[in-house]
Amino acid sequence: STIIEILSIYLMAGILLASFIAAYAVTKGNTRLNRIFAILSGLVGVFLFGYLLELNSDSLPQMIFWNQIQYIALPFYPAFWLLLSMTYTDQRPKKTVRLKRGLIFVIPTLTFLIRLTNDWHHLYYRSMSMGHTAGFPVMLLEKGPWYYLNWAYIGVCLIYATRLYLRQKNLPRAMMRGHYLMLASSLMPYLALCLILINPYNSGLDFTAIIMPISLYLVMVALFRYDFLAVQTLARDIVFEKGKDALILIDAQHLIKDSNQRAKLIFP
C-alpha cells in the first residue's frame, strides 16, 4: 500500500542517516564520546532495519523473526544514550565508574535474553498475532510484565539523561545551540514512549521507529552545524568552565570576550 511505501522510504532514510552518523563518529577520533556515539547510531540503524523488514513481511513467522532482530539493538539504546549524556556533560562517577556502567546494562541484557526466550515463558509478549492497519499487515502484541518493566527502565534513562542536559546552564554561547539540539533529541523518545503505551486506534505501529529518525536529524544538525563531537569543544568546557582557576579570554584589542564563573567571583 501507499502508506507502507512511504514508511519504508522514511525508515530507509533513517537507516542511511544512522549509518552515516556512525561512520562519521568513527572518523572523528578514538575518544570515549565518539565510540559511544558510533555504537548508539549503529544500534539505531539495526533497529530501524529490523522494523523496516517487519513492516514489509506478509506472514507472522517473518514478522516475529524481524521483531527479534530489532531486539538485538533496542534494549541497549537507552543505556548508550544515557552513557552519551553522562560523557558529554562530564557527569561520570569517578570512583565506581566501572560498577555503575555495568549496572546500566543489567536490564538491557536481561531484556534481550527474555525476548529471545519469550516462547518459553511469555514474560515479554503474552501473545503475537497478525492484524491489519490501513490495509497493510502489522503485528498485534499483547504485552507481558517484563515489557512494562523494560519501558520503565527506558523512562528512567531518558529522565536522567534529560536532567543531565538541563543541569548544563553555564555553557558558552557558542555551545548552547548545539546543547539545546541534544536536549531536544533526548526529549523526542518521550513522545514515542507515550504513543506506544497508548497505542492510538490500535494501529500496532512501533512509534519508536517513527520518532527515531527525527531525533537523529536533530543530532546530525548538532554534529555538523555546532560540531558536537569536537574534542576541543569538550576540552574547553571542562578546563574553562569547570576549572578552579579564574580565566579571562581577551581579543587583540584587549576586549573581554569570555570568562568563567571563578573569574566573575574575583573580578566584579
Side-chain angles (χ1 to χ4, degrees), residues 83-94 164 168 234 237-239 242:
L83 282 180
L84 179 76
S85 305
M86 293 169 69
T87 304
Y88 178 67
T89 58
D90 195 41
Q91 297 295 324
R92 291 169 292 161
K94 298 299 186 289
L164 291 177
Q168 294 286 97
L234 291 173
D237 177 36
I238 295 171
V239 175
K242 299 180 180 179

Side-chain angles (χ1 to χ4, degrees), residues 133-199:
T133 295
F136 61 89
V138 294
M139 282 188 72
L140 300 179
L141 304 168
E142 183 182 354
K143 302 169 180 67
W146 192 268
Y147 179 94
Y148 293 104
L149 188 149
N150 179 57
W151 279 99
Y153 165 80
I154 293 174
V156 170
C157 287
L158 293 175
I159 290 170
Y160 188 57
T162 304
R163 177 174 172 269
L164 291 177
Y165 284 119
L166 290 173
R167 287 177 60 184
Q168 294 286 97
K169 297 178 180 179
N170 298 318
L171 294 177
R173 290 181 181 178
M175 293 181 63
M176 285 308 297
R177 291 184 180 180
H179 181 74
Y180 288 146
L181 283 171
M182 292 303 299
L183 175 60
S185 68
S186 73
L187 293 175
M188 295 300 295
Y190 289 103
L191 177 60
L193 182 61
C194 293
L195 289 172
I196 287 174
L197 294 177
I198 296 171
N199 191 22

